[in-house]
């Protein structure tokens, strides 16, 4: 907690040696200091010493409780009960909290406000607290007329009753209020289904009445009844179907009425005669009128203005939440300005609702997480950011939470985010993120999540200690605080996308925290963001070290491949794909059961989204770069789903599937499966018709491996004589089909005239012209092992001219001077004696033209790489 008068406090308790002795403050000063703290901080400060424990238990500090941001249950209520003798006001949220209120033993309770309360709980509550003056319940459909009667019978001193979302307000229950609550001056039946309007006319004490959002009201009847209420001065009919006739009746016939609020009333607004309604000097507020200056230009009593500000803030909040169409102009013209004006009100509940309304109205439309730039700009231009940041420092946690949420949402707009950062919002977010109030912490971590999207804010978040704070939050909050955890993990995931900050996350234990979070919290949003964080950490793991291999991260990712949520499975597969790009990670994934898990995921994803199919195929491709993993994938049943993925119309999916099948086809034990599962036609189709030339090339590589191995003894079929004959025939047919498509594939990169000219001419220009079409630029990232290079060199000596040509063509791609792994491939070829074989092929009079030309190009590439190596040395 930061006190604005901190320097004054220091002067009071400063010792001669320069140290501050806070314990020297008198009790009344300490009580004032304690009053500025929230309940959690009061408890922590009370635990520091005996003197402060006595001060912290002072009954004057416990006159009100706002429990909405805490997990409040009977156990906590019992522990607080000794301090609640003078408790007068309590605010709660949730059924468990409602049930626990009675255990506070707060016999002097005057004001309750909450939701999710049942008839039985409310009846018990009012029966035990007969001095209640204010009751505000809802939105809740569990409260019925029965509990309204109980309120009337048990609370004769009641002054204010606001019920929201109830199904019915029957005549007998409202008549009970009229009979037993003579001091009832403020009534609200808000967003209710059925309310007996005629019975409300019997409550003669009422001065302020709201039926906003209530349906099934017979306006032609109730307007005649209500205009006779002798003390009615404020009426709210917003968000109803009231007509201009009823409005005119109320304004013209009621002698006491001063203000009628009718915001967002469609029937009224569509009536072209609404502007002709005579107000008789009374105030009529609607979306059709200019209400921006009502607080300054309209003279009225404090009593009316207090009620009106509450009604306006509540109604505007409800309108913002319901996101009615065609109100963008209103928000830009008046709505934002009204909220900002209400933020400066002295009423705490009005400030809270105004901040919540701002947080909601700036979205583009209902269900859309995109911020409307025009509304965000209006907030910024009218000074909304510093105003909200100031409220975020309030000791009142309801205001603090709402204001922080508004700033958090604004931070999703890039321009507003800059203003938030410039005004010191990052430091405030980090401070509030440590709050033990769930709503405050969630709003603050949400703000860090939004700000961390921009690269320009990541450094400031890190320098202010944001990474350590976020990691600590994940470790400290229980798994049921899903909102806090999701926002914290989302912010870390964004920060981890930057190499520099991913290192910082790993250093402070972020990998372990995210892995533990994945295991402990099953909420979908939390798992998706935590997994995304590990994905981003994994993307830098090659350079940063074993980030994502530590602390059970691999096990957590592998476990998530079985998640019931497709989005989580997709992100987990993507993380494993990234990790599988290094040898050490590949073996670690396999040792942790990753091969079996990914094969199972592939088998269950035949009808899944293309994104998931692409991720799991990519992960299997990465793992299959290891011979042991390649054999294991085939043994576990990974080939059939990969063939299905290779048949996908999405080139993103069939490209990675082709890469996996290329690796798998290198091992002879997998070839029969590929053939028997119908892989040859699928690979042939990719080879000839894929829009991705990289996919076509890898499909051709897989076909070449099948052709090259199908005549070896290692591929000799096993089984009965008839079975062996059948399999041999099948392999021969597959070989014929494969060679046909390989030959067609090579022809697409050949220019017969240029090739013929290059054969008869020894000039460099002729060879340059011949290879103009020969390179596939997309293959520069492909990497071959020593064994694979050896396979291609062996192919150069094959009896098949097609395989010879394809081997030379493939080596040409792998030694392309522009390729990332070209130097590595050239080194392997030189060590394997490829130059001799290539020269023989290039010089042979009997070899096809394509073989000669491709061999010459490969030799030239090898010469280039040798010269480059010597130059570097």
């Amino acid at each position: 907690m930061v006190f604005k008068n901190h320097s004054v406090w220091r002067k009071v308790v400063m010792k001669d040696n320069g140290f501050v002795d806070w314990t020297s403050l008198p009790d009344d000063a300490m009580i004032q200091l304690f009053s500025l703290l929230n309940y959690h901080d009061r408890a922590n400060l009370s635990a520091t010493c005996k003197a402060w424990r006595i001060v912290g238990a002072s009954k004057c500090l416990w006159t009100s409780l706002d429990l909405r941001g805490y997990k409040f249950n009977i156990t906590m209520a019992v522990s607080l009960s000794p301090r609640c003798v003078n408790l007068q006001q309590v605010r709660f949220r949730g059924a468990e909290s409602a049930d626990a209120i009675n255990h506070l033993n707060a016999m002097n309770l005057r004001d309750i406000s909450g939701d999710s309360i049942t008839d039985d709980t409310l009846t018990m509550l009012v029966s035990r607290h007969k001095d209640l003056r204010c009751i505000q319940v809802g939105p809740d459909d569990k409260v019925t007329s029965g509990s309204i009667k109980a309120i009337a019978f048990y609370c004769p001193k009641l002054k204010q009753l606001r019920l929201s979302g109830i199904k019915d307000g029957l005549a007998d229950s409202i008549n009970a209020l009229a009979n037993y609550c003579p001091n009832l001056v403020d009534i609200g039946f808000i967003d209710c289904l059925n309310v007996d309007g005629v019975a409300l006319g019997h409550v003669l004490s009422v001065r302020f009445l709201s039926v906003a959002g209530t349906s099934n009201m017979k306006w032609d009847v109730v307007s005649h009844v209500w205009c006779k209420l002798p003390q009615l001065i404020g009426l709210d009919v917003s968000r109803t179907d009231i007509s201009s006739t009823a409005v005119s009746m109320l304004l013209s016939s009621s002698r006491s009425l001063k203000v009628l609020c009718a915001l967002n009333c469609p029937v009224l607004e569509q009536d072209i005669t609404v502007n002709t309604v005579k107000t008789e000097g009374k105030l009529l507020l609607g979306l059709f009128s200019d209400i921006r200056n009502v607080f300054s230009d309209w003279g009225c009593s404090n009593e009316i203005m207090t009620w009106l500000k509450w009604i306006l803030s509540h109604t505007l909040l409800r309108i913002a939440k319901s996101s009615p169409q065609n109100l963008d102009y209103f928000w830009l013209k008046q709505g934002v300005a009204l909220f900002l004006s209400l933020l400066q009100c002295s009423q705490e509940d009005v400030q809270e609702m105004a901040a919540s309304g701002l947080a909601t109205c700036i979205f583009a439309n209902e269900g859309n997480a995109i911020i409307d730039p025009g509304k965000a700009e209006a907030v910024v231009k009218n000074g909304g950011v510093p105003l909200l940041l100031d409220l975020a420092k309030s000791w009142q946690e309801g205001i603090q939470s709402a204001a922080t949420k508004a700033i958090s949402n604004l931070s999703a707009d890039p321009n507003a985010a800059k203003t938030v950062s410039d005004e010191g919002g990052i430091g405030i977010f980090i401070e509030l993120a440590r709050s033990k109030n769930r709503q405050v912490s969630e709003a603050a971590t949400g703000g860090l999540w939004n700000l961390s999207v921009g690269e320009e804010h990541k450094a400031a978040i890190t320098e202010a200690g944001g990474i350590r704070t976020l990691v600590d939050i994940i470790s400290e909050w229980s798994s049921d605080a899903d909102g806090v955890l999701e926002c914290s993990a989302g912010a870390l995931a964004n920060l981890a996308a930057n190499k520099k900050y991913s290192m910082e996350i790993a250093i402070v234990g972020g990998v372990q925290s995210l892995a533990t979070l994945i295991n402990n919290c099953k909420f979908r949003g939390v798992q998706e963001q935590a997994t995304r964080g590990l994905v981003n950490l994994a993307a830098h793991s090659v350079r940063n070290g074993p980030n994502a291999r530590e602390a059970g991260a691999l096990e957590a990712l592998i476990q998530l491949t079985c998640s019931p949520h497709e989005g989580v499975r997709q992100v987990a597969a993507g993380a494993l794909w990234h990790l599988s790009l290094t040898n050490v990670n590949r073996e670690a994934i396999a040792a942790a059961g990753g091969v079996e898990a990914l094969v199972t995921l592939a088998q269950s994803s035949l009808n899944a989204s293309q994104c998931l199919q692409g991720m799991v195929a990519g992960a299997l491709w990465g793992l299959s770069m290891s011979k042991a993993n390649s054999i294991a994938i085939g043994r576990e049943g990974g080939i059939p789903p990969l063939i299905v993925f290779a048949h996908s119309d999405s080139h993103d999916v069939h490209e990675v599937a082709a890469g996996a099948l290329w690796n798998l086809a290198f091992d002879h034990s997998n070839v029969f499966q590929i053939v028997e599962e119908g892989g040859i036609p699928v690979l042939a189709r990719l080879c000839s018709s894929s829009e991705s030339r990289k996919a076509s090339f890898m499909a051709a590589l897989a076909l070449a491996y099948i052709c090259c191995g199908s005549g070896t003894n290692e591929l000799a079929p096993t089984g009965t004589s008839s079975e062996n004959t059948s399999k041999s025939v099948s392999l021969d047919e597959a070989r014929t089909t494969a060679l046909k498509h390989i030959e067609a594939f090579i022809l697409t990169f050949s220019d017969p005239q240029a090739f013929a000219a290059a054969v008869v001419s020894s000039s460099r220009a002729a060879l340059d012209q011949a290879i103009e079409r020969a390179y596939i630029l997309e293959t520069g990232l492909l990497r071959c092992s020593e064994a694979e290079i050896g396979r291609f060199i062996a192919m150069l000596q094959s009896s098949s001219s097609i395989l010879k040509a394809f081997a030379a063509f493939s080596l040409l791609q792998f030694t392309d001077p522009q390729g990332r792994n070209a130097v590595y491939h050239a080194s392997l070829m030189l060590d394997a004696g490829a130059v001799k074989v290539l020269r023989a092929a290039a010089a042979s009079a009997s070899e096809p033209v394509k073989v000669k030309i491709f061999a010459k190009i490969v030799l030239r590439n090898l010469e280039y790489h040798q010269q480059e190596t010597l130059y570097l040395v």
Side-chain angles (χ1 to χ4, degrees):
M1 182 72 187
V2 179
F3 303 108
K4 295 178 181 179
N5 56 348
H6 182 261
S7 60
V8 176
W9 286 108
R10 287 180 61 87
K11 290 178 182 178
V12 174
V13 295
M14 184 73 73
K15 286 186 173 182
D16 294 337
N17 59 8
F19 290 98
V20 176
D21 182 9
W22 292 92
T23 60
S24 65
L25 283 170
D27 286 350
D28 58 346
M30 281 306 303
I31 287 175
Q32 184 181 351
L33 188 151
F34 268 74
S35 70
L36 298 175
L37 299 176
N38 60 46
Y39 316 115
H40 187 273
D41 290 340
R42 287 181 198 172
N44 283 343
L45 197 57
S46 298
T48 58
C49 66
K50 181 178 180 180
W52 284 5
R53 187 159 51 252
I54 296 172
V55 171
S58 299
K59 294 180 175 61
C60 62
L61 293 174
W62 300 92
T63 58
S64 67
L65 278 177
D66 186 351
L67 304 166
R68 291 173 296 169
Y70 298 93
K71 185 176 178 60
F72 183 69
N73 52 31
I74 293 175
T75 302
M76 183 179 292
V78 171
S79 68
L80 285 175
S81 60
R83 304 178 183 181
C84 295
V85 174
N86 291 336
L87 184 65
Q88 295 185 9
Q89 182 186 49
V90 63
R91 305 183 76 178
F92 61 90
R93 176 169 292 152
E96 186 178 29
S97 294
D99 292 338
I101 296 297
N102 284 314
H103 295 269
L104 286 172
N105 293 325
M107 304 312 297
N108 294 307
L109 202 58
R110 300 287 190 273
D111 186 339
I112 62 169
S113 175
D115 59 19
S116 301
I117 192 168
T118 64
D119 253 2
D120 290 343
T121 301
L122 182 55
T123 299
M124 182 178 295
L125 193 61
V126 297
S127 68
R128 293 187 178 183
H129 302 91
K130 299 179 181 181
D131 285 337
L132 282 170
R133 308 302 202 269
C134 301
I135 298 175
Q136 186 169 314
V137 175
D140 206 321
D141 61 1
K142 298 182 179 65
V143 174
T144 68
S145 290
S147 55
I148 298 175
K149 288 182 183 179
I151 291 172
F153 294 148
Y154 289 115
C155 303
K157 299 178 182 178
L158 192 66
K159 292 183 177 181
Q160 182 186 88
L161 176 64
R162 290 172 179 164
L163 303 175
S164 175
I166 67 172
K167 292 181 178 179
D168 60 75
L170 301 180
D172 57 346
S173 61
I174 296 176
N175 287 331
L177 292 172
N179 294 330
Y180 297 105
C181 300
N183 300 317
L184 186 57
V185 297
D186 188 339
I187 298 177
F189 282 94
I190 302 170
D191 293 308
C192 298
L193 185 60
N194 288 295
V195 174
D196 193 312
V198 174
L200 283 171
H202 300 159
V203 189
L204 302 181
S205 61
V206 67
R207 294 172 62 79
F208 301 100
L209 174 61
S210 174
V211 290
T214 293
S215 55
N216 301 316
M217 193 70 70
K218 298 177 181 179
W219 290 110
D220 56 338
V221 176
V222 299
S223 59
H224 284 82
V225 175
W226 292 353
C227 67
K228 298 176 183 178
L229 285 167
Q231 301 188 61
L232 183 66
I233 58 177
L235 176 61
D236 177 26
V237 295
S238 299
R239 300 183 292 111
T240 67
D241 59 355
I242 192 171
S243 65
S244 59
T245 302
V247 168
S248 180
M249 167 61 71
L250 288 164
L251 291 173
S252 62
S253 301
S254 175
R255 295 182 179 182
S256 58
L257 190 64
K258 301 292 185 184
V259 56
L260 194 157
C261 190
L263 295 173
N264 195 213
C265 296
V267 175
L268 186 63
E269 291 159 6
Q270 292 169 13
D271 189 339
I272 59 175
T273 66
V274 66
N275 292 321
T276 65
V277 173
K278 295 182 180 180
T279 61
E280 306 293 339
K282 299 164 185 176
L283 184 64
L284 173 61
L285 297 178
L287 297 183
F288 45 79
S289 57
D290 190 345
I291 53 179
R292 288 171 296 179
N293 299 318
V294 65
F295 306 127
S296 57
D297 295 348
W298 185 55
C300 66
S301 67
N302 290 335
E303 181 187 24
I304 295 176
M305 189 57 71
T306 297
W307 175 82
L308 182 57
K309 287 179 179 180
W310 190 95
I311 290 298
L312 283 174
S313 59
H314 182 271
T315 296
L316 291 173
L317 172 59
R318 294 294 300 164
I319 293 173
K321 286 184 175 181
S322 62
S323 300
Q325 298 298 313
N326 305 319
L327 281 187
D328 284 349
Y329 178 79
F330 168 77
W331 292 121
L332 292 172
K333 188 73 174 178
Q334 298 193 65
V336 169
L338 280 168
F339 276 137
L340 292 176
S341 179
L342 290 166
L343 282 177
Q344 301 172 68
C345 169
S346 60
Q347 297 165 237
E348 294 170 359
D349 51 355
V350 170
Q351 288 180 314
E352 182 178 335
M353 287 188 289
S356 297
L358 268 181
T360 306
C361 80
I362 58 177
F363 286 104
N365 52 59
E366 186 178 7
N368 193 333
I370 299 175
I371 299 298
D372 185 308
K375 297 173 189 174
E377 183 182 11
V379 175
V380 172
K381 282 190 173 182
N382 287 281
V385 171
L387 186 59
L388 287 166
L389 287 173
D390 192 51
L391 288 175
K393 302 173 187 175
S394 169
W395 69 276
Q396 293 283 3
E397 292 177 318
I399 299 174
Q400 191 179 71
S401 171
T404 306
K405 183 63 176 177
I407 308 164
S408 172
N409 290 352
L410 277 170
S411 300
D413 177 80
N415 295 326
K418 184 179 185 306
T419 303
V420 171
S421 179
D422 292 344
E423 294 286 344
I426 289 176
I428 292 174
F429 278 148
I430 292 174
E431 180 69 26
L432 294 178
R434 301 188 184 103
S435 172
K436 298 305 178 184
N437 182 300
R438 183 180 306 188
Q439 295 172 349
V440 174
S441 183
E442 181 177 337
T445 51
L448 292 173
W449 187 4
N450 285 334
L451 284 176
S452 63
V453 172
E455 289 295 325
E456 65 273 23
H457 304 306
K458 291 181 179 178
I461 291 173
T462 304
E463 290 168 5
I467 288 178
R468 167 65 75 178
T469 297
L470 290 166
V471 171
D472 288 345
I473 288 170
I474 289 175
S475 302
E476 292 169 2
W477 280 91
S478 62
S479 59
D480 60 346
D482 46 74
V484 176
L485 296 173
E486 180 180 6
C487 292
S488 300
L492 283 176
N494 287 345
L495 292 165
N498 182 290
K499 175 186 174 183
K500 177 181 178 181
Y501 307 125
S502 73
M503 281 290 293
E504 182 72 19
I505 291 170
I507 290 171
V508 300
V511 177
Q512 180 177 4
S513 292
L514 290 171
T516 302
L517 182 59
I518 288 172
N519 285 321
N520 293 344
C521 184
K522 303 308 177 184
F523 180 71
R524 176 178 178 177
V526 174
Q527 290 199 338
E528 285 182 350
Q529 296 309 319
T531 308
R532 190 169 66 88
L534 290 181
V535 169
N536 290 339
L537 288 166
H540 302 294
S541 64
V542 176
R543 301 179 182 87
N544 291 354
N547 285 357
R549 298 198 306 271
E550 298 174 348
L554 278 182
E555 289 77 5
L557 288 171
I558 291 170
Q559 178 184 341
L560 285 175
T561 61
C562 302
S563 169
H565 308 300
E566 180 172 314
V568 175
R569 298 195 300 272
Q570 178 180 314
V571 177
L576 292 170
W577 184 3
H578 278 294
L579 287 169
S580 68
L581 299 179
T582 64
N583 291 329
V584 175
N585 286 342
R586 273 195 293 274
E587 302 314 314
I589 292 171
V595 171
E596 295 83 354
L598 285 166
V599 168
T600 300
L601 178 58
Q603 292 169 338
S604 65
S605 301
L606 302 183
N607 296 314
S609 67
Q610 293 178 344
C611 290
L612 176 55
Q613 290 179 343
M615 290 298 180
V616 68
L620 289 173
W621 183 12
L623 290 177
S624 66
M625 294 178 187
S626 156
K627 181 177 181 180
N629 289 344
S630 176
I631 295 172
I633 291 170
R635 183 180 64 246
E636 295 296 328
I639 290 175
L642 285 170
I643 292 174
V644 173
F645 298 158
H647 201 271
S648 171
D649 292 334
S650 167
H651 75 267
D652 289 334
V653 177
H654 68 233
E655 184 178 284
V656 288
L661 289 170
W662 164 37
N663 285 345
L664 292 172
F666 184 79
D667 188 81
H668 301 317
S669 63
N670 291 326
V671 170
F672 278 124
Q673 276 201 69
I674 295 175
V675 174
E676 290 178 343
E677 295 294 337
I680 298 298
V682 175
L683 290 168
R685 173 177 171 270
L686 289 182
C687 191
S688 60
S689 61
S690 174
E691 295 179 0
S692 166
R693 300 213 301 176
K694 182 179 178 181
S696 296
F697 179 49
M698 291 189 294
L701 286 167
L703 292 173
Y705 283 176
I706 292 170
C707 291
C708 179
S710 62
T712 66
N713 289 331
E714 291 180 82
L715 273 178
T718 59
T720 66
S721 176
S722 60
E723 289 174 342
N724 290 346
T725 301
S726 175
K727 290 182 179 180
S728 297
V729 171
S730 176
L731 285 172
D732 288 341
E733 292 175 351
R735 186 173 187 271
T736 301
T737 301
L739 288 173
K740 175 183 174 182
H741 284 85
I742 292 171
E743 183 177 26
F745 174 76
I746 297 171
L747 286 174
T748 61
F749 298 93
S750 306
D751 184 338
Q753 292 183 344
F755 275 29
V759 168
V760 299
S761 172
S762 59
S763 69
R764 188 179 186 89
L767 190 59
D768 286 341
Q769 186 175 359
I771 68 171
E772 187 174 346
R773 296 171 52 189
Y775 285 115
I776 306 175
L777 298 180
E778 298 93 331
T779 63
L781 296 177
L782 297 180
R783 184 180 178 93
C784 292
S785 66
E786 181 179 355
E788 288 176 295
I789 293 296
R791 177 75 65 88
F792 288 118
I793 295 173
M795 277 191 210
L796 285 171
Q797 302 170 72
S798 170
S799 58
S800 168
S801 60
I802 297 174
L803 285 179
K804 284 183 181 179
F806 183 72
F809 175 80
S810 300
L811 292 173
L812 180 154
Q813 308 305 322
F814 295 133
T815 57
D816 177 4
Q818 303 300 318
R820 178 182 293 181
N821 297 306
V823 174
Y824 168 73
H825 292 149
S827 175
L828 293 178
M829 291 173 64
L830 292 171
D831 291 343
V835 172
K836 180 179 179 181
V837 178
L838 287 164
R839 284 176 177 169
S844 174
S846 61
E847 293 291 358
V849 172
K850 293 188 290 295
V851 176
K852 290 184 174 185
I853 296 301
F854 291 148
K856 285 183 179 182
I857 300 171
V858 177
L859 285 168
R860 196 170 79 172
N861 287 348
L862 291 176
E863 181 181 354
Y864 168 83
H865 291 305
Q866 281 183 304
Q867 291 174 352
E868 284 294 301
T869 303
L870 290 173
Y871 173 77
L872 292 173
V873 172

